[in-house]
Amino acid sequence: MSQNTRSLLQTSSLVVMTLMSIAIGLYAYGFQLRFTGDPSFHMRFDELIVPSTMHVIGGGTVLLIGGLQFFAAIRRNYPALHRWLGRIYLSFAIIGGIGGLILAPVSDGGLVAHYGFGTLAVLWLFSSIRAYTAIRGGNVQAHQEWMMRNYAMAFGAVTLRIYLGLFGANGIPFEESYPVTAWISWVPNLILVEWYLSLKRERRASVGRTVEGSPAFQN
């Protein structure tokens, strides 16, 4: 695959993911304002109003702005905007993660779903902290890698709805599909990111070996 084709594919994928994230982020805000969502879900969320609000608004905000952080043109041309969006992103990721961790033990789907969402919340909080400490320490590469992992898990809010829709379309009851979705909504996303990062490391190592073996380097 040529460099131009790879770049076009990456940009197209990022645009699609960003638009999908914004759509679910807007849905989350609509849910909080009672414009969207099933009334039965509103009743359940009202039983734990504080962590529910933290989770919905925190996750919704992350989805609204998260994809924008990965566009190189924004980072390059508007560095101040990138930094401020990053501060907002990580602040609301912490808020949403804490809310999600509190809600995980009372989620639908039994123990399998409880552990799925609980593990997601813990890893989401962990990756937020690692991303912050990396950039504070001046390690841009590590910061970018942890932010990719963090966003991949946040994108689980999008893939969760895709999987639930697919299960429902195939006649699989919500009670059966939800425990599975609690895991597959984010674990494959994270695996895909790790695979992508490993490819990038291999390319950097290959370029390094090429440079070291060039006559100019040897001279």
Side-chain angles (χ1 to χ4, degrees):
M1 183 184 297
S2 67
Q3 179 63 36
N4 289 338
T5 302
R6 186 186 300 118
S7 178
L8 179 61
L9 180 60
Q10 290 176 352
T11 302
S12 300
S13 300
L14 182 55
V15 168
V16 171
M17 287 191 299
T18 301
L19 291 175
M20 294 172 72
S21 292
I22 290 173
I24 299 303
L26 290 174
Y27 174 86
Y29 270 81
F31 181 91
Q32 187 65 32
L33 296 172
R34 301 299 196 269
F35 295 150
T36 60
D38 191 292
S40 62
F41 272 82
H42 289 301
M43 292 176 62
R44 290 201 56 192
F45 270 52
D46 287 343
E47 295 174 1
L48 293 166
I49 189 66
V50 174
S52 296
T53 300
M54 292 171 64
H55 181 58
V56 172
I57 297 301
T61 302
V62 163
L63 289 171
L64 283 174
I65 66 176
L68 301 174
Q69 292 295 84
F70 295 96
F71 285 93
I74 294 178
R75 295 197 306 270
R76 181 174 59 251
N77 299 324
Y78 306 98
L81 175 63
H82 175 74
R83 287 193 294 271
W84 274 106
L85 287 178
R87 294 184 182 109
I88 295 170
Y89 178 106
L90 288 175
S91 297
F92 278 89
I94 294 293
I95 293 170
I98 293 173
L101 188 60
I102 296 172
L103 293 175
V106 296
S107 61
D108 292 325
L111 282 176
V112 174
H114 299 344
Y115 279 106
F117 291 126
T119 303
L120 170 60
V122 170
L123 292 178
W124 203 34
L125 289 167
F126 176 76
S127 61
S128 298
I129 294 170
R130 289 300 302 269
Y132 176 76
T133 56
I135 198 62
R136 291 292 295 175
N139 192 337
V140 176
Q141 180 178 321
H143 170 73
Q144 292 176 341
E145 291 180 355
W146 281 109
M147 286 300 293
M148 289 183 66
R149 297 181 180 107
N150 190 278
Y151 181 66
M153 288 185 278
F155 197 75
V158 178
T159 47
L160 179 142
R161 287 160 176 81
I162 293 174
Y163 287 127
L164 286 177
L166 291 174
F167 282 131
N170 285 278
I172 301 175
F174 176 83
E175 295 76 14
E176 297 178 15
S177 64
Y178 202 62
V180 177
T181 309
W183 289 94
I184 66 172
S185 61
W186 62 273
V187 172
N189 298 359
L190 203 52
I191 292 174
L192 186 61
V193 166
E194 292 300 332
W195 173 72
Y196 173 76
L197 291 175
S198 69
L199 290 180
K200 286 189 66 176
R201 294 188 193 103
E202 289 177 7
R203 284 199 295 269
R204 285 197 297 266
S206 177
V207 170
R209 288 192 296 268
T210 301
V211 171
E212 289 178 5
S214 67
F217 184 86
Q218 293 173 355
N219 292 335

